Amino acid sequence: MAYKKRLDGRKFDELRKIDAKVGIIKNADGSAYFRIGKTVAYAAVYGPRDLYPKFLQDPKKGILRCNYNMMPFSGAGNRVRPGPSRRSREISYVTENALSPVVNLEDFPNAVVDVFIELPQTDAGSRCAGICAASMALADAGIIMKDLVSAVAVGIVDGQICVDLNYDEEAHEEGDVADVPVAFIPSTGEFSLLQMDGKIKKKDLMKALEMGKKAAQTIIDVQRKALKAKFEVDNNE
Amino acid sequence: MEKVNVKDKEIVVPGEVVAVGMSYLPGQGIYRKGDSLIASLLGLVRIEGKVIKILPVSGKYLPKRGDVIIGKVKDINFSGWSVQTNSAYPAMLSMKDGSSDFIRRGADLTRYFNIGDYLVTKIYNVTSQNLIDLTMKGPGLRKLEGGRILHVSPSKVPRIIGKQGSMVSMIKKAANCNVIVGQNGVVWIKGADPKDEILTVETILKIEKESHISGLTDRIKGFLESKGKKVTGE
């Protein structure tokens, strides 16, 4: 139990500072900005629109197509190689799976909804920030969805369960470190993303997931507020 | 326990519990889960008696039978014209529905509508796969000559038209322009003076931006008057 105080002085169940905004990319049908600590995600949604090449079309349901991309300068100083990589393919795929349970894909057969997630700055938890931004952008695009999705990383750092790990904690060298990104659908209480990197005991994992649920609820409130803020009446005019 | 958690005309987001209890009915944009009604769209709540529904504030056009839309001719093939409708789905205007003339087989279809032409047309059928059939038979359906095209969000179209067309006819009279609003969010504007057309564009964009704030008609009236136009009452 060496890890008694977090490196950035947060409480163990405290999230980093969150900032969220909706409707920032004018060309897109829906867009959102989500910042948690030093991790920044932009999401733009286009569609439903027609899908080419044609063999990808599914006459029974629409397709949600996500694209996750870290910008070359987004890391801690070493250049991230631009373009698709094994990692970004994987994260695009899990993002799709995290979001599809809430989106009503039957509404637009043969069509596609494109979600582009760009990260100009990252400090761990980028897939979670991406999912948060994407779910807000989907709502902003007027797509029928059962609920918003919020995502956060939980984990264990040298025996201590923490919420929303930053990069320094993920890279902590003493003891076992585990990083468990989760996406949470509040209305059903289900997880739509659950990955793990590291070593954690089952008992600790369960405790961590409970903490994750609570944290996700906080994020949902921020997301809802941001969506509503777009329509707040400016009485000064 | 039965209760409504929101006020009329409040903004809700997907996943928000709008009401609890079996005595309320879900309308557009709402689904029922167990005892509660949950929003599935971003928009304004309307409570109409027992029915609760959501007016969307954004979203692409979803084709509906009977809608009059403005489309652009994209291609010409054997049997008719294919038209771009601003939605995810292709629309066909067949020869039979395109014109009441007898069109000989192999005739030059560009004589009627050429690629790039804008048409005011009506949707007469939407299939289960959302393929759209169009017709040109009906009052006011025609090819548009001249003027300018403006794209707005389809969810704002009812606001631009107003109750029984009150808003659009106010703009038409005040700005001295001919305006046609398609349900798919394409607006056609033509006036004798380009300045009038520009004013009309500005007005419509203002409606699109401020449609969710109450007192819209009065504000638009004020806006037109501030530009030196005379606005006649209903």
Side-chain angles (χ1 to χ4, degrees):
Chain A
M1 280 282 186
Y3 197 64
K4 290 221 174 71
K5 197 160 175 277
R6 290 182 85 165
L7 294 168
D8 53 3
R10 276 183 289 157
K11 287 187 213 117
F12 292 115
D13 60 349
E14 193 182 335
L15 293 162
R16 288 174 282 178
K17 198 170 163 285
I18 306 175
D19 189 15
K21 239 181 244 160
V22 161
I24 40 158
I25 298 164
K26 294 279 173 282
N27 262 354
D29 295 315
S31 59
Y33 159 88
F34 188 87
R35 179 193 180 115
I36 183 158
K38 286 185 204 152
T39 302
V40 178
Y42 285 91
V45 170
Y46 294 84
R49 61 182 180 183
D50 38 1
L51 173 57
Y52 293 107
K54 215 163 179 178
F55 68 84
L56 291 175
Q57 292 185 356
D58 186 343
K60 281 201 181 128
K61 61 180 177 56
I63 286 173
L64 188 69
R65 192 162 57 179
C66 297
N67 187 55
Y68 165 101
N69 184 38
M70 258 166 83
M71 291 185 187
F73 49 81
S74 64
N78 41 348
R79 180 169 181 265
V80 180
R81 198 161 173 266
S85 62
R86 187 206 56 78
R87 180 174 173 275
S88 67
R89 273 297 295 265
E90 177 197 314
I91 296 179
S92 305
Y93 177 71
V94 297
T95 305
E96 258 166 48
N97 286 352
L99 294 170
S100 13
V102 296
V103 180
N104 223 350
L105 293 169
E106 283 79 24
D107 287 341
F108 40 91
N110 285 330
V112 65
V113 173
D114 274 318
V115 181
F116 297 100
I117 300 165
E118 292 287 334
L119 297 123
Q121 186 179 310
T122 58
D123 180 34
S126 64
R127 73 193 70 189
C128 296
I131 290 170
C132 290
S135 92
M136 284 158 65
L138 282 169
D140 184 39
I143 285 163
I144 297 175
M145 49 202 293
K146 295 186 189 83
D147 204 344
L148 290 174
V149 182
S150 70
V152 70
V154 291
I156 196 158
V157 182
D158 198 6
Q160 176 62 53
I161 299 169
C162 301
V163 125
D164 192 19
L165 280 69
N166 64 18
Y167 185 75
D168 291 337
E169 286 175 323
E170 259 183 25
H172 198 72
E173 282 184 0
E174 289 147 44
D176 285 344
V177 176
D179 171 39
V180 186
V182 296
F184 184 61
I185 305 171
S187 69
T188 56
E190 287 171 334
F191 290 112
S192 59
L193 165 78
L194 184 60
Q195 292 185 295
M196 192 177 79
D197 182 13
K199 227 167 154 188
I200 191 169
K201 288 197 187 76
K202 189 184 172 189
K203 194 182 74 201
D204 291 336
L205 178 65
M206 288 312 176
K207 250 192 238 163
L209 290 181
E210 279 313 308
M211 269 168 93
K213 274 189 192 175
K214 239 184 246 160
Q217 206 65 51
T218 325
I219 295 176
I220 277 282
D221 291 338
V222 176
Q223 287 173 308
R224 284 186 179 163
K225 230 192 203 160
L227 281 165
K228 287 183 183 184
K230 189 185 174 189
F231 300 99
E232 244 149 47
V233 183
D234 229 355
N235 285 325
N236 307 327
E237 269 189 89
Chain B
M1 198 185 71
E2 306 212 330
K3 74 175 206 290
V4 181
N5 294 333
V6 290
K7 286 193 282 293
D8 199 30
K9 290 190 178 171
E10 201 179 298
I11 294 272
V12 291
V13 298
E16 216 172 307
V17 178
V18 176
V20 182
M22 295 306 279
S23 59
Y24 293 99
L25 296 170
Q28 187 203 7
I30 307 246
Y31 69 99
R32 181 184 289 286
K33 186 166 176 275
D35 220 15
S36 42
L37 295 181
I38 303 175
S40 62
L41 263 178
L42 178 68
L44 292 167
V45 182
R46 294 312 301 273
I47 302 168
E48 290 168 353
K50 290 281 159 214
V51 180
I52 303 178
K53 66 173 185 178
I54 295 180
L55 299 175
V57 287
S58 55
K60 281 258 170 164
Y61 175 65
L62 272 179
K64 219 165 70 232
R65 181 189 293 199
D67 277 359
V68 173
I69 62 169
I70 297 178
K72 187 182 182 184
V73 178
K74 197 169 60 178
D75 197 4
I76 301 173
N77 42 35
F78 287 118
S79 54
W81 299 264
S82 86
V83 180
Q84 217 165 31
T85 57
N86 213 16
S87 82
Y89 300 101
M92 275 300 299
L93 173 63
S94 70
M95 247 186 311
K96 177 177 80 139
D97 297 308
S99 168
S100 50
D101 295 0
F102 172 73
I103 302 175
R104 191 187 284 275
R105 186 208 284 233
D108 182 17
L109 290 179
T110 58
R111 276 206 359 242
Y112 300 91
F113 310 119
N114 205 345
I115 293 171
D117 284 349
Y118 280 93
L119 312 172
V120 188
T121 163
K122 194 164 138 189
I123 297 176
Y124 81 87
N125 194 22
V126 182
T127 69
S128 65
Q129 292 305 306
N130 281 347
L131 299 175
I132 307 164
D133 287 326
L134 299 170
T135 178
M136 294 297 285
K137 287 173 185 168
L141 305 183
R142 61 191 169 92
K143 185 166 113 178
L144 294 170
E145 311 269 5
R148 61 179 78 202
I149 292 286
L150 180 68
H151 289 264
V152 298
S153 166
S155 54
K156 303 291 163 70
V157 165
R159 305 292 99 71
I160 294 167
I161 292 174
K163 275 200 186 100
Q164 266 127 34
S166 60
M167 184 72 86
V168 74
S169 59
M170 179 174 89
I171 298 168
K172 268 166 150 173
K173 262 184 221 153
N176 197 21
C177 273
N178 201 353
V179 182
I180 299 176
V181 187
Q183 290 294 327
N184 59 340
V186 182
V187 184
W188 175 79
I189 299 156
K190 189 180 186 182
D193 188 352
K195 276 186 192 143
D196 290 341
E197 286 183 0
I198 287 164
L199 176 67
T200 313
V201 170
E202 277 174 14
T203 315
I204 289 171
L205 289 178
K206 191 177 165 69
I207 297 173
E208 192 192 11
K209 217 172 97 201
E210 301 177 5
S211 67
H212 57 284
I213 309 167
S214 59
L216 183 68
T217 315
D218 292 334
R219 233 160 337 106
I220 296 303
K221 206 182 237 176
F223 174 75
L224 285 168
E225 273 163 358
S226 75
K227 297 281 174 184
K229 296 290 174 187
K230 231 174 89 188
V231 180
T232 45
E234 274 87 281

